[in-house]
């Protein structure tokens, strides 16, 4: 019978190994009996301390994970004086080792309930262990429970050592015990990986605790080599700048924009660049290592620790990495620390405070972004997002200027526009057919004068030029982004970046484990047993079928919402036409249009939030293997749904409204007597402009700004109230008065990815490019929004979010393909908007084909057809009309034969001529713009000339640097050998000493003659 050691070793004579055996036996006992029986030491708190806390014991050299590197907070009653907290909140208690990563979890101590007749354990330290029995079933062969009152089970027989007591364990306590054991096992595995851990004591019955992780130099150097992280070497080389006029212009630009530059420290001479090379411990002499503690910056250190956390396994549920443990609620969160406070009275400047002062304030809206500092603090992926957003915002400046010019052109030429004058001239007296049956009267076209004049602001020849300009603008923007991306790749040392092998997602591992267990139960051993299992298309087929069905359903739901708004417009227009109020009847079109657009906006905002959640759920049931696959599939689904949701009402107004109305005497009806709605006399372009502007501005103001500001604050408040409600009011003696950095960061909102940030900008890019022919001011509103958006996103990242894990990335991924697709689609859509929605083609045709004097005089009369009022259907004629006796013919907008023609009311020759011209314009416009776009793409190289030359130069400098270093090392070794030969006259003993010293020298140099040739091969 094994004798158990006391729970808390007080001297170094108690070996740590016994403590580990106790924890190990408890863990295996727990897992082997399905969480029903667990043998643990009697004092729970002491057991937890003995299994993790090594502060009371002397370090053991025989253990692979020495307890000397676990530095827990010490209880004052046990360990003497309590160490003071780290003054900066960024270090361990010794104020020397940095906190590179933090794990947070909620704990709940067991409140034991004893069965009847079993004495409660004494609160003293004893060597006897305690058997815990959970409510529920029991294992066969282990115990024979007898049912008692209240549904509890009492253990009748327990084969084990004498002195073992029986205690009930509720299912909640059993789950908490399992989580605790998983945490202990995981933290032991982290220690085996070389990390150093400091942990909070669990002084309260339940609460929040933190595990702080530090990576020593040995771990950092090992992982940096495995991850192939490029680090600066001793070699510096000069960046050659372009000469001539470009250099002069660049210098002038730098002087002009000097007040706009952020005041961030520059690293040395900007014309010099450090030669970077993937870190290698064998070639450590190449790197400029002044201080091992600061050689790897905080972002790199946290990234290295994250990689270890992701691949460190636990035996429970075959889980792999921190992602699975967080998904199973073993830990609540895992995050790197921010670099201290972003605002405060202290004068200590850190990168976070610098970013806040020069970038993340609304007061710094006029300054350029410190992209290099953003990349250093948040990583390359987030750095590329803000670089892309900055370039996009800069490109909106020229398009806004051109859009304003086009709008002003419409304002200036409105008085000289002949069709508008003809429409407003009351002397023409165009009597129009009623807009509705029975209740609407005949009306004069001059009453729509205001609509016609407003339409000219957006429907003029300049909009065609602006559409071509914006198509070329989109192409130039994408080309310029590719060039900037290559420039950033060079300066950020990403040119040789390889695709990193990603770890499988926890959900994928769980699904794969379920498949393995199922196969083991069904199949026997086969020849392909060694083949690695993976999820096949048949495993994912239910997910794919659900995706297809639900996406189709949601697209139909969007169309149904648009149709619902159409029905609202038709019925409301009819209802308002019945009104006895003259003012209400005269403003029917304005009222219906304004309210319908607002309803559309509300529906879009609601469906956007629903579609975002559904797209995530649909992607999860597909079970993608890696995070990259998950992100790409989520982006495609979310973009498809949000694109359809945002643009469906606009597509309806642009291409379908007023196309299926019919004609007087033969109207198209819906819902038993409601006529399909028509376009305004000035055309549908004005209404398209109103629809586009309200939806665009509403989404930007409400969704992109108010939601981004308000929702994180509400979530933070809710999480704070939840923590205060769940945690009991207990005094924590070990908690320092001032909250530490890990406490402050835990209260921040977790970072969930860049997808929402990109998505709102991509949708905005669509508003700017797709229907720009109808709304030239769209780039201006986008620019004003983005000036705020950059600072809003910056403030959110610096002040409201936990620090994201740094991720290396060479590009913006699938977003570039989406942008390119929108750019190409915009050419087609703008061609149809100009040809079909606007009056540009009919005006052109009239001026050059039908006008007698080559002017626009008579254009309005040319576009209006005649209708004999006696041909109106019975019951549809206007009631109580004062003009009924005087009106013989009314006019309507269409190209149809007059009533006195043989083919009365059929489409006229002018209709087919205009339709042919419309289609010809679409083909010509599309091919011309596509050709110009390809030409621009060909003329602008993807890689700037100076960057391609610098990349070649860097390779050459790298080879020369290696040769020089190896040559110097070779000369040093040869001189050492020559000196050794001169002293060869010494005895055998001396030779042994010299041989030993020579071996030691070779080890310190991390190289040899044999490595010389291999290093050249690598280069």
């Amino acid at each position: 019978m094994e004798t158990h050691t006391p729970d808390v070793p007080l001297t170094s004579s108690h070996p740590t190994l016994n403590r580990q055996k106790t924890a190990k036996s408890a863990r295996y006992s727990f897992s082997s009996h399905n969480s029903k029986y667990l043998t643990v030491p009697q004092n729970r708190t002491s057991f937890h301390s003995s299994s993790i806390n090594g502060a009371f014991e002397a370090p053991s050299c025989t253990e692979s994970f020495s307890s000397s590197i676990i530095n827990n907070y010490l209880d004052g009653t046990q360990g003497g004086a309590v160490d003071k907290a780290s003054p900066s909140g960024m270090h361990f208690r010794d104020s020397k080792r940095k906190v590179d990563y933090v794990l947070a979890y909620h704990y709940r101590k067991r409140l034991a309930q004893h069965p009847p007749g079993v004495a409660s354990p004494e609160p003293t330290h004893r060597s006897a262990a305690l058997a815990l029995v959970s409510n529920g079933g029991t294992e066969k062969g282990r115990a024979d429970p007898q049912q008692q009152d209240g549904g509890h089970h009492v253990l009748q027989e327990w084969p084990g050592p004498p002195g073992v007591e029986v205690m009930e364990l509720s299912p909640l306590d059993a789950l908490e015990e399992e989580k605790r054991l998983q945490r202990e096992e995981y933290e032991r595995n982290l220690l085996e990986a070389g990390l150093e851990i400091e942990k909070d004591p669990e002084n309260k019955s339940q609460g929040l605790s933190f595990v702080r992780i530090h990576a020593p130099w040995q771990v950092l150097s090992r992982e940096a080599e495995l991850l192939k992280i490029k680090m600066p070497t001793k070699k510096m080389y000069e960046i050659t700048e372009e000469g001539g006029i470009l250099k002069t212009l660049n210098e002038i630009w730098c002087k002009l924009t000097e007040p706009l530059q952020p005041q961030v420290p520059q690293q040395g001479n900007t014309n010099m660049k450090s030669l970077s090379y993937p870190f290698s411990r064998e070639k450590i002499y190449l790197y400029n290592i002044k201080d091992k503690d600061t050689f790897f910056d905080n972002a790199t250190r946290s990234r290295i620790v994250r990689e270890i956390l992701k691949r460190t396994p636990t035996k429970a549920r075959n889980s792999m990495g921190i992602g699975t443990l967080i998904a199973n609620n073993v830990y609540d969160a895992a995050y790197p620390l921010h670099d201290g406070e972003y605002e405060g009275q202290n004068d200590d400047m850190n990168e976070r405070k610098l970013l806040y002062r020069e970038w993340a304030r609304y007061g710094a809206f006029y300054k350029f972004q410190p992209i290099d500092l953003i990349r250093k603090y948040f990583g390359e992926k987030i750095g590329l997002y803000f670089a892309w957003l900055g370039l996009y915002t800069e490109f909106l400046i020229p398009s806004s200027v051109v859009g304003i010019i086009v709008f002003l052109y419409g304002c200036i030429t409105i008085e000289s526009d002949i069709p508008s004058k003809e429409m407003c001239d009351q002397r023409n007296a165009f009597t129009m057919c009623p807009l509705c049956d029975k209740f609407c009267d005949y009306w004069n076209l001059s009453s729509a004068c205001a609509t016609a004049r407003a339409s000219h602001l957006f429907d003029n020849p300049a909009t065609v030029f602006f559409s071509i300009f914006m198509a070329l603008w989109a192409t130039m923007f994408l080309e310029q982004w590719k060039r900037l991306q290559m420039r950033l790749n060079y300066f950020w040392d990403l040119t040789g970046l390889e695709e990193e092998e990603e770890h499988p997602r926890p959900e994928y591992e769980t699904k794969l484990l379920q498949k393995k267990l199922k196969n083991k139960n069904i199949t026997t051993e086969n020849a392909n047993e060694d083949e690695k299992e993976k999820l096949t298309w048949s495993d994912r087929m239910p997910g794919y079928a659900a995706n297809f069905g639900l996406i189709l359903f949601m697209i139909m739901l969007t169309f149904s919402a648009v149709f619902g708004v159409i029905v609202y417009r038709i019925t409301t227009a009819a209802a308002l036409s019945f009104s006895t109020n003259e003012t209400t009847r005269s403003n029917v079109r304005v009222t219906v249009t304004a309210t319908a657009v607002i309803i559309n906006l509300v529906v879009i905002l609601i469906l956007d939030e629903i579609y975002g959640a559904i797209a995530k759920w649909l992607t999860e049931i597909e079970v993608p293997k890696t995070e990259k696959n998950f992100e790409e599939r989520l982006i495609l689904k979310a973009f498809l749904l949000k694109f359809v949701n945002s643009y469906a009402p606009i597509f309806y107004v642009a291409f379908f409204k007023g196309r299926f109305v019919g004609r007087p005497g033969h109207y198209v009806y819906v819902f038993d007597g409601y006529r399909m709605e028509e376009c305004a006399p000035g055309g549908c372009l004005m209404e398209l402009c109103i629809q586009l502007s309200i939806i665009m501005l509403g989404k930007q103001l409400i969704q992109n700004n108010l939601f981004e500001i308000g929702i994180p604050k509400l979530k933070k408040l809710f999480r704070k109230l939840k923590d205060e409600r769940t945690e009991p009011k207990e005094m924590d003696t070990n908690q320092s008065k001032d909250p530490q950095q890990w406490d402050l960061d835990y209260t921040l909102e977790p970072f969930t990815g860049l997808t929402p940030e990109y998505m709102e900008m991509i949708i905005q890019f669509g508003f700017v490019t797709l229907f720009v022919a109808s709304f030239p001011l769209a780039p201006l509103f986008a620019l004003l929004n983005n000036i705020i958006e950059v600072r809003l996103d910056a403030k959110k990242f610096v002040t409201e979010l936990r620090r994201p894990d740094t991720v290396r990335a060479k590009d913006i991924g699938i977003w570039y393909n989406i942008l390119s697709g929108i750019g190409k689609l915009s050419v087609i859509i703008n061609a149809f908007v100009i040809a079909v929605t606007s009056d540009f083609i009919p005006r052109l045709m009239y001026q050059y084909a039908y006008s007698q004097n080559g002017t626009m005089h008579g254009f309005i009369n040319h576009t209006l057809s005649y209708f004999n009022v006696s041909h109106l259907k019975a019951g549809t004629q206007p009631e109580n009309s004062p003009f009924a006796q005087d009106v013989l013919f009314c006019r309507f907008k269409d190209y149809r034969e007059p009533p006195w023609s043989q083919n009365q009311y059929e489409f006229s020759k002018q209709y087919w001529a205009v339709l042919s011209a419309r289609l010809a314009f679409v083909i010509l416009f599309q091919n011309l713009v596509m050709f110009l776009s390809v030409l621009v793409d060909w003329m602008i190289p993807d890689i700037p000339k100076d960057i391609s030359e610098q990349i070649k130069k860097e390779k050459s400098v790298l080879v020369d640097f290696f040769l020089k270093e190896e040559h110097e090392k070779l000369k040093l070794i040869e001189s050492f050998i020559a000196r050794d030969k001169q002293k060869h006259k010494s005895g055998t003993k001396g030779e042994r000493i010299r041989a030993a010293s020579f071996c030691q020298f070779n080890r310190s140099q991390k190289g040899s003659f044999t490595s010389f040739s291999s290093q050249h091969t690598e280069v």
Side-chain angles (χ1 to χ4, degrees), residues 3-215:
T3 304
H4 292 270
T5 59
D7 295 332
V8 181
L10 300 177
T11 66
S12 60
S13 61
H14 299 285
T16 312
L17 192 59
N18 289 338
R19 185 188 76 240
Q20 292 161 0
K21 286 182 179 178
T22 306
K24 197 172 183 179
S25 65
R27 185 174 73 252
Y28 292 155
S29 174
F30 186 81
S31 59
S32 62
H33 302 139
N34 292 332
S35 306
K36 304 300 179 186
Y37 306 102
L38 176 62
T39 303
V40 295
Q42 184 168 346
N43 190 312
R44 268 294 304 275
T45 307
S46 302
F47 168 71
H48 185 68
S49 301
S50 65
S51 62
I52 296 294
N53 189 349
F56 298 109
E57 300 185 36
S60 172
C61 295
T62 60
E63 295 181 76
S64 61
F65 47 97
S66 172
S67 61
S68 64
I69 60 176
I70 313 176
N71 295 274
N72 295 348
Y73 289 172
L74 309 181
D75 189 352
T77 59
Q78 293 177 341
V82 180
D83 293 341
K84 291 183 179 179
S86 169
S88 64
M90 301 290 298
H91 294 79
F92 277 13
R93 288 270 165 155
D94 57 11
S95 298
K96 294 179 181 178
R97 289 171 291 177
K98 286 182 179 178
V99 177
D100 296 320
Y101 222 86
V102 174
L103 307 180
Y105 65 91
H106 278 89
Y107 64 87
R108 176 180 173 274
K109 292 189 178 180
R110 174 176 48 80
L111 300 175
Q113 296 177 350
H114 303 281
V118 179
S120 61
E122 299 174 8
T124 56
H125 296 280
R126 303 190 313 185
S127 60
L130 188 69
L132 299 176
V133 184
S134 70
N135 291 332
T138 56
E139 283 290 322
K140 289 184 179 181
R142 291 292 178 185
D144 183 17
Q146 181 179 351
Q147 187 73 23
Q148 301 289 333
D149 292 338
H152 300 300
H153 296 82
V154 177
L155 199 63
Q156 298 295 320
E157 181 183 355
W158 176 267
V164 172
E165 299 181 15
V166 179
M167 180 178 289
E168 286 184 301
L169 192 64
S170 67
L172 189 62
D173 288 333
L175 181 63
E176 189 64 35
E177 192 69 28
E178 183 180 2
K179 289 180 182 179
R180 184 182 66 79
L181 292 175
Q182 285 188 53
R183 284 195 293 267
E184 289 180 4
E185 181 192 0
Y186 185 68
E187 287 157 18
R188 277 193 297 273
N189 292 341
L190 292 181
L191 295 175
E192 288 180 350
L195 297 176
E196 298 177 2
I197 291 177
E198 180 181 77
K199 196 171 181 184
D200 286 345
E202 299 174 2
N203 292 329
K204 299 189 286 188
S205 59
Q206 63 180 26
L208 178 66
S209 189
F210 296 96
V211 179
R212 293 171 290 283
I213 300 172
H214 168 77

Side-chain angles (χ1 to χ4, degrees), residues 440-451:
C440 296
D441 198 359
Y442 302 104
W443 57 286
N444 201 313
L445 185 61
S446 60
S447 63
C449 174
T451 308

Side-chain angles (χ1 to χ4, degrees), residues 233-526:
T233 63
K234 298 175 184 177
K235 178 66 176 177
M236 301 278 291
Y237 68 96
E238 187 178 1
I239 300 173
T240 56
E241 295 181 350
E242 295 183 7
I245 189 170
L246 288 176
K247 184 178 180 180
T248 307
L249 291 174
N250 188 44
E251 289 176 353
I252 295 171
W253 174 252
C254 289
K255 287 181 180 179
L256 291 174
T257 58
E258 190 173 352
L260 307 179
Q261 298 294 340
Q263 302 299 315
V264 295
Q266 298 290 335
Q267 296 181 349
N269 189 358
T270 54
N271 293 330
M272 301 295 292
K273 184 179 183 296
S274 293
L275 185 66
S276 296
Y277 187 73
F279 188 81
S280 171
R281 288 174 290 180
E282 290 185 356
K283 301 181 178 67
I284 201 166
Y285 55 88
L286 298 176
Y287 305 97
N288 189 17
I289 304 176
K290 296 177 181 177
D291 184 1
K292 289 184 178 181
D293 291 335
T294 57
F295 180 65
F296 295 104
D297 60 19
N298 291 345
T300 307
R301 295 173 70 98
S302 64
R303 177 177 158 227
I304 288 172
V305 175
R306 179 73 180 187
E307 287 297 322
I308 298 174
L309 293 176
K310 281 161 65 175
R311 69 166 186 257
T312 301
T314 56
K315 293 181 181 177
R317 299 187 184 180
N318 294 323
S319 62
M320 170 63 79
I322 189 65
T324 310
L325 294 175
I326 292 177
N328 294 334
N329 295 318
V330 177
Y331 290 100
D332 289 344
Y335 52 90
L337 292 180
H338 277 294
D339 286 358
E341 297 265 359
Y342 63 88
E343 58 182 356
Q345 301 300 327
N346 57 345
D347 295 331
D348 296 335
M349 181 57 67
N350 56 59
E351 290 181 350
R352 187 188 188 194
K353 187 179 288 188
L354 193 61
L355 282 171
Y356 179 74
R357 191 184 70 186
E358 297 295 327
W359 177 55
R361 293 184 303 111
Y362 293 115
F365 75 93
Y366 62 92
K367 292 186 177 182
F368 291 121
Q369 298 185 91
I371 291 297
D372 290 326
L373 185 60
I374 297 168
R375 170 253 177 178
K376 182 183 177 186
Y377 192 81
F378 292 112
E380 286 80 3
K381 190 172 185 179
I382 294 175
L384 282 173
Y385 163 70
F386 281 105
W388 174 85
L389 182 58
L391 182 69
Y392 172 49
T393 306
E394 289 176 14
F395 259 71
L396 284 173
I397 296 173
S399 59
S400 301
V401 171
V402 177
I404 292 171
I405 293 172
V406 169
F407 179 74
L408 291 176
Y409 171 82
C411 295
I412 294 169
T413 58
I414 192 169
E415 297 298 333
S416 59
D417 182 50
I418 297 174
S420 298
K421 283 183 177 181
E422 287 186 350
M423 189 178 289
C424 294
D425 190 356
Q426 296 184 1
R427 292 173 296 178
N428 289 327
F430 295 112
T431 303
M432 306 298 292
C433 297
L435 294 173
C436 65
D437 294 343
K438 193 182 292 187
F439 296 100
C440 296
D441 198 359
Y442 302 104
W443 57 286
N444 201 313
L445 185 61
S446 60
S447 63
C449 174
T451 308
R453 291 171 66 87
S455 295
H456 179 74
L457 298 176
F458 306 100
D459 188 3
N460 55 68
T463 56
V464 180
F465 158 76
F466 190 54
S467 299
I468 298 173
F469 170 81
M470 287 304 294
L472 298 179
W473 172 89
T475 304
M476 291 186 67
F477 164 64
L478 293 176
E479 287 302 310
Q480 189 61 30
W481 167 244
K482 285 194 285 189
R483 290 169 62 84
L484 177 60
Q485 198 169 248
M486 280 305 303
R487 191 175 294 276
L488 294 176
N489 282 346
Y490 167 69
F491 283 105
W492 293 353
D493 298 319
L494 299 171
T495 47
L497 181 63
E498 300 175 1
E499 286 287 333
E500 296 180 8
E501 185 178 353
E502 289 193 70
H503 301 285
R505 299 176 64 247
E507 294 80 2
Y508 180 87
E509 289 181 325
T510 304
K511 189 82 173 177
L512 192 61
L513 179 61
Q514 291 172 356
K515 181 183 178 182
K516 288 178 181 177
L517 294 174
K518 185 179 178 182
N519 291 343
K520 281 183 180 179
N521 295 333
I522 296 174
T523 60
T524 57
E525 295 181 4
N526 53 16

Side-chain angles (χ1 to χ4, degrees), residues 643-924:
F643 181 88
V644 173
N645 183 40
S646 297
Y647 297 113
I650 301 171
F651 269 93
Y652 163 73
V653 173
F655 304 123
F656 297 101
K657 185 178 178 181
R659 311 289 167 199
F660 310 102
V661 177
R663 59 170 178 81
H666 196 270
Y667 284 113
V668 177
Y669 290 90
V670 292
F671 297 119
D672 192 24
Y674 291 104
R675 272 165 51 177
M676 287 293 291
E677 56 179 347
E678 304 177 44
C679 289
C684 275
L685 198 70
M686 186 62 200
E687 189 172 340
L688 176 62
C689 173
I690 295 171
Q691 183 106 1
L692 185 68
S693 58
I694 291 180
I695 291 178
M696 179 181 176
L697 294 176
K699 276 181 68 70
Q700 289 184 351
L701 182 64
I702 298 172
Q703 193 174 45
N704 298 1
N705 294 325
L706 294 181
F707 282 10
E708 275 195 53
I709 295 170
I711 289 179
K713 292 187 182 297
L714 291 175
K715 285 183 177 179
K716 184 178 179 181
L717 179 63
F718 176 75
R719 193 166 56 248
K720 184 180 178 182
L721 294 174
K722 183 181 177 183
D723 289 342
E724 289 177 354
R725 188 173 64 251
T726 54
E727 291 190 17
K729 304 288 184 180
E730 298 180 32
M731 292 297 294
D732 191 350
T733 55
N734 288 324
Q735 188 69 29
S736 58
K737 292 181 180 179
D738 296 328
Q740 297 295 300
Q741 190 62 46
W742 46 85
D743 295 304
L744 298 172
D745 285 5
Y746 180 77
T747 61
L748 300 177
E749 189 72 15
F751 174 69
T752 55
L754 288 169
T755 301
E757 317 300 333
Y758 273 115
M759 186 66 72
E760 63 186 54
M761 288 295 105
I762 298 295
I763 296 295
Q764 185 203 79
F765 183 79
F767 281 118
V768 168
T769 54
L770 291 179
F771 295 94
V772 75
S774 63
F775 189 41
L777 295 179
L780 175 64
F781 289 115
L783 174 64
L784 296 175
N785 174 80
N786 284 13
I787 290 172
I788 301 172
E789 180 71 23
V790 171
R791 307 303 159 179
L792 183 64
D793 283 348
K795 188 174 182 182
K796 183 170 68 175
F797 273 87
V798 173
T799 67
E800 296 175 4
L801 295 180
R802 292 175 193 159
R803 187 170 184 173
D805 294 302
T806 56
V807 179
R808 285 194 298 180
K810 294 178 67 175
D811 50 44
I812 59 175
I814 197 172
W815 295 112
Y816 180 84
N817 299 329
I818 293 175
L819 283 168
S820 180
I822 290 176
K824 291 178 172 61
L825 182 63
S826 69
V827 177
I828 301 170
I829 290 178
N830 280 306
F832 275 100
V833 167
I834 295 169
V836 177
T837 312
S838 76
D839 279 340
F840 177 74
I841 298 300
R843 291 187 183 199
L844 212 62
M845 284 290 294
Y846 176 78
Q847 186 172 0
Y848 294 104
Y850 299 109
S851 177
Q852 296 178 355
N853 52 8
T855 65
M856 292 301 295
H857 289 287
F859 172 73
I860 297 297
N861 186 52
H862 177 75
T863 58
L864 297 177
S865 299
Y866 287 91
F867 180 77
N868 191 333
V869 296
S870 62
H871 294 166
L872 286 172
K873 289 183 179 180
T876 62
Q877 297 94 341
E879 291 183 348
N880 305 320
S881 173
F883 310 104
Q885 303 299 325
D886 303 327
V887 176
L888 296 176
F889 298 98
C890 65
R891 310 292 294 271
F892 63 99
K893 189 173 182 180
D894 208 346
Y895 291 102
R896 291 182 181 268
E897 296 289 347
W900 52 81
S901 171
Q902 292 182 354
N903 302 318
Q904 60 180 6
Y905 307 132
E906 295 291 329
F907 287 118
S908 63
K909 293 180 181 179
Q910 288 91 337
Y911 171 83
W912 299 110
V914 171
L915 181 62
S916 302
R918 291 182 196 268
L919 296 177
F921 175 82
V922 169
I923 296 171
L924 180 65

Side-chain angles (χ1 to χ4, degrees), residues 925-941:
F925 182 90
Q926 179 183 335
N927 284 283
L928 174 65
V929 175
M930 288 292 186
F931 169 74
L932 292 175
S933 299
V934 171
L935 185 64
V936 170
D937 189 1
W938 175 75
M939 291 176 62
I940 302 175

